[in-house]
Amino acid sequence: MTNPATTPEPISFLDLPKQQARLGDALRRRVDAVMAHCKFVMGPEVEELEQHLAAYCGAAECVAVSSGTDALLIALMAEEIGPGDAVFLPAFTYTATAEVVLLLGATPVFVDVDPRTFQISPESLMTRIESVIAQADLEPRLVIGVDLFGQPAPWNELRNVADRFGLLLVDDCAQAFGGAYHNRKLGREAVATTLSFFPSKPLGGYGDGGAILTDDSERAALYRSLRTHGEGKTRYEVLRIGINGRLDTLQAAILLAKLDAFDAELDRRDEIARAYDAGLAGLVEPPQRVPNSKSAWAIYSILLPDASARDSLQAHLREAGVPSAIYYPKPLHRQPAYAEHHDETVHLPVSEGLGARILALPMQPELTNEEVERVIDAVQSWAKQEKKA
Ligand SMILES: *Cc1c(COP(=O)(O)O)cnc(C)c1O
């Protein structure tokens, strides 16, 4: 029989009921306002959200769209990325980063990542660009930098490489809105910065949503047209092929309510990350920080020495009611959908090794101090047990 005193409630990885309770009336009031005016598509909350998001990071323009994936798709469509074009992106990221490249008929070229920060490696990027140039069958066009897990990609180094080869930069900031690089909020490091409001992202809605930030008003106008079937000045003037990529008014309303609490949530995430760093030092490898940056802490991932240590820690945590997750078990170039678009003789050793050793611990503002302690205690007791074995 299990003893209730020694089997505490499992900790939640993403506690949306608790989040709703914390946000309280603000959410309800925003949703009720939309239900009252009934402008469910492109209602006034959409533009209000765009203005707030642009102001938040100092970008000139924001275009709200239906998801982080559609934000990337539209940003690439605007640059007329298509067949014959090479788009460089990290192999260690979520599938959406690469998916849009293939949807447009272009070729993804996978780049390796840094072994400690997990961010795209500028050295690997150089090597991959040079090999595409040497092979001469694709035209290098664009680099998608991903701000993985909430930390910024090394934007200054990426910009140097991109400038040297005349490539465009796009920032896939789906996991990192609210983060900063060299004392500047993310949102202005590339020609376009794409956001996701999927519920588990730092600024998460209650459904799908996304946005594109840019300082270029011509690009913003193009994104707006592409978001609505390529429309011109009137609804029935079709200037180009676009998509239905609008953000629902109800999601905009929810995000407006959530924005008011966003900075406090980011502070809480940072507090939790620092508590983990201190409690886990010497037992596992805590995530190394990108220099001169601030993380939005979408994900807090530690590294273990090998797959068997990672699997045994994950099992031990599960027993203690502590959930964990693996982002990402396999790099994209090893996934069935992408393998045929990658030259298998090209190894990306860091991306290929991380999946076996990485583990994400609970990270959400809803965690109490007691829960954070429980996570740390569980890792400590696992480490003690490993030492004995
Ligand atoms: C979540 C995510 C996306 C896609 O965002 P959706 O809103 O789910 O379409 C793209 N890139 C990265 C790195 C992500 O984590």
Side-chain angles (χ1 to χ4, degrees):
M1 244 176 67
T2 55
N3 176 352
T6 58
T7 2
E9 279 286 292
I11 293 171
S12 158
F13 212 68
L14 177 63
D15 195 340
L16 294 174
K18 192 171 175 193
Q19 182 186 91
Q20 278 184 50
R22 172 169 57 81
L23 297 167
D25 290 349
L27 268 174
R28 192 67 52 197
R29 271 199 304 275
R30 279 291 190 174
V31 170
D32 286 348
V34 179
M35 299 301 273
H37 68 53
C38 290
K39 295 187 182 90
F40 295 118
V41 177
M42 296 306 286
E45 285 80 2
V46 175
E47 203 183 317
E48 189 183 345
L49 177 70
E50 291 178 339
Q51 285 168 1
H52 277 80
L53 294 174
Y56 185 87
C57 60
E61 304 257 7
C62 175
V63 180
V65 298
S66 40
S67 70
T69 308
D70 286 340
L72 281 167
L73 183 64
I74 290 172
L76 266 54
M77 286 170 85
E79 309 304 333
E80 299 187 10
I81 294 297
D85 292 338
V87 176
F88 301 84
L89 60 112
F92 194 67
T93 179
Y94 183 58
T95 179
T97 316
E99 182 177 50
V100 294
V101 175
L102 283 164
L103 282 172
L104 294 174
T107 303
V109 180
F110 296 105
V111 176
D112 213 352
V113 298
D114 182 279
R116 297 301 314 279
T117 66
F118 318 131
Q119 306 299 320
I120 185 170
S121 151
E123 294 75 30
S124 173
L125 175 61
M126 279 277 288
T127 310
R128 299 294 275 143
I129 295 171
E130 281 164 351
S131 89
V132 167
I133 292 172
Q135 280 176 13
D137 48 302
L138 293 172
E139 190 190 344
R141 287 285 314 280
L142 191 144
V143 178
I144 307 179
V146 177
D147 304 308
L148 200 75
F149 299 163
Q151 294 212 77
W155 288 106
N156 288 347
E157 290 82 358
L158 292 183
R159 203 168 297 116
N160 284 341
V161 177
D163 287 351
R164 180 144 152 205
F165 294 98
L167 308 184
L168 288 163
L169 273 182
V170 165
D171 179 359
D172 179 351
C173 190
Q175 301 182 0
F177 186 62
Y181 182 70
H182 291 251
N183 297 315
R184 179 161 86 164
K185 289 259 187 222
L186 290 172
R188 308 184 64 196
E189 303 301 329
V191 293
T193 297
T194 62
L195 309 181
S196 166
F197 308 127
F198 187 81
S200 62
K201 311 283 172 158
L203 181 61
Y206 293 155
D208 278 307
I212 314 172
L213 299 158
T214 183
D215 281 338
D216 177 348
S217 59
E218 280 176 32
R219 279 195 168 86
L222 200 46
Y223 302 155
R224 292 203 165 87
S225 170
L226 289 165
R227 169 178 70 180
T228 311
H229 304 290
E231 76 177 14
K233 289 224 156 43
T234 65
R235 185 179 299 177
Y236 298 106
E237 183 187 24
V238 185
L239 298 180
R240 54 184 66 81
I241 299 304
I243 63 172
N244 174 355
R246 295 173 296 239
L247 180 73
D248 281 352
T249 312
L250 277 167
Q251 285 310 327
I254 284 161
L255 289 162
L256 280 165
K258 292 202 64 184
L259 256 183
D260 290 333
F262 187 49
D263 280 335
E265 292 182 354
L266 289 173
D267 289 345
R268 178 61 184 152
R269 285 176 188 270
D270 201 52
E271 218 169 68
I272 296 166
R274 281 183 283 118
Y276 283 163
D277 285 346
L280 307 180
L283 308 177
V284 298
E285 282 184 52
Q288 192 177 91
R289 308 300 194 268
V290 170
N292 212 341
S293 76
K294 185 170 176 285
S295 181
W297 292 118
I299 290 168
Y300 183 98
S301 279
I302 57 171
L303 274 184
L304 284 301
D306 53 38
S308 88
R310 195 271 311 277
D311 295 347
S312 104
L313 173 58
Q314 189 168 37
H316 184 92
L317 293 176
R318 198 180 301 119
E319 295 252 304
V322 175
S324 60
I326 299 169
Y327 308 106
Y328 298 94
K330 236 187 216 187
L332 292 182
H333 65 294
R334 293 288 191 244
Q335 292 282 1
Y338 296 109
E340 64 174 299
H341 303 284
H342 180 75
D343 172 356
E344 63 183 358
T345 65
V346 175
H347 286 279
L348 305 172
V350 179
S351 302
E352 286 157 23
L354 283 176
R357 298 174 50 213
I358 204 160
L359 193 66
L361 300 179
M363 171 51 80
Q364 56 165 341
E366 266 44 71
L367 291 176
T368 62
N369 289 341
E370 292 70 40
E371 287 173 324
V372 172
E373 279 308 310
R374 262 181 68 196
V375 175
I376 294 168
D377 287 349
V379 178
Q380 288 176 346
S381 69
W382 168 81
K384 223 177 263 165
Q385 171 193 303
E386 284 285 287
K387 222 175 181 177
K388 267 192 235 144

